[in-house]
Amino acid sequence: MKVCILTTSFPLGKGDISGMFVLEQARHLIKHGAAVCVVAPHHDGVVHHEDMNGIEVHRFRYFLPEKLQKLCYGSGIPNNIREFPWTKLQLPLLVFLFTIHALRYARSCDIIHAHWSIAGIAGFIAARILGKPIVLNIHHGSVRDVTKIEKILLETVDYVVFNSSYTMSHAMKYTTPPAFAVVSPGVDTDKFQRRPSTKAQTDILPPDVTGKPILFTLGRLVECKGHKYLIEAMRLVNKKFNAHLLVGGDGPQRQDLDHLVSNKDLENEVTFLGHIPWRRTNFYYTSADIYLQPSIIDKDGVTEGLGVTILEAMACGTPCIGSKVGGIPDLIRDGINGFLVNPAQPEQLAEKINILLGDKELREKMGAEGRRFVEENYSWNAKAGELMGIYGELLKKRNK
């Protein structure tokens, strides 16, 4: 079986975490016996074609000159359009050229698996022309209405895969796909696990955190991630703990968050790490005493579809605190493998941080429960197996 994966986000090179879960999905499908090719938009300075661990990767140019290809990657398409409004003009070109390249590369495949709506449009057209089954993967967390195009896609593709019960229940308010299931992204539990740190690793930590409890969060610096509420919570964390917050990731809110840290006089308690290469993420999760995901519903109705970083932190045995939004409640069992708090509530964040920092035994217990939870429910091997089952059923129906 050969699967053609269409995605608007995919790692641009070694260490890049853009769409890393799509790469992991492809890698584990191969372990289950599938052949995989990936079609994704190009980005300036990146190769157009490569073999990535046995995965055929094809990146198509959608605008010239290449340096003006600003619609995809970075902070994600919605945030890129806000930052560069002119990129909205690139959308029709992106969809058209995505369709052309989907037709080209899916021709030799058995199944088309599209991630997100833009790839879904291209994939649907290609699937109908080529007579191939198509699976649409929905990740986006939102409280806004489903658009007419999204509704048509959800009702006409062969199968819809939702990344969480939240994304499924939201979509079901507006439409019912012909066939669907929740199959979340998984975690490579061999890569993400608690292991002793080397001196070379500890040397990359900021000198200010030596000997201090570490709080860690990782994600794009965009409104829906709720970073500002976590920074405000740092003022309320008990000073006796002398805790330090490490913020991994970059994005359009970086400057505003820098100003907030300065205005709150938290320069000695908060450090922005910028982009963290994927190979180093396990070290930061393991070094942290607590992992935090303070996501909110932003002004456009966007929120956390699932929260893969929570799963990765749990796999490393780190207790987690997250907001009660989107798919996060699928992952955190309040009081068992972490704590849930209401979104945009610095006081609640600080309260739970104080509880965990003051109780090492509770941290270890929650961390162990988190690891067990991921192993039993979110291993990539199991999730890839579920997808292979869906592909097999679709091919059986098509061949009848």
Side-chain angles (χ1 to χ4, degrees), residues 348-368:
Q348 290 187 23
L349 279 168
E351 176 191 357
K352 300 305 183 184
I353 291 170
N354 286 332
I355 289 172
L356 282 175
L357 289 180
D359 193 334
K360 182 180 179 182
E361 184 178 340
L362 180 60
R363 292 200 306 273
E364 291 176 349
K365 180 181 177 182
M366 285 186 167

Side-chain angles (χ1 to χ4, degrees), residues 134-136 153-162 168 172 176-182 390 393-394 397:
I134 177 169
V135 175
L136 175 63
L153 273 177
L154 289 166
E155 292 176 349
T156 52
V157 296
D158 298 291
Y159 206 101
V160 178
V161 169
F162 297 100
M168 181 179 71
M172 292 302 192
T176 301
F180 58 92
V182 174
I390 291 169
E393 288 300 314
L394 288 175
K397 288 181 182 178

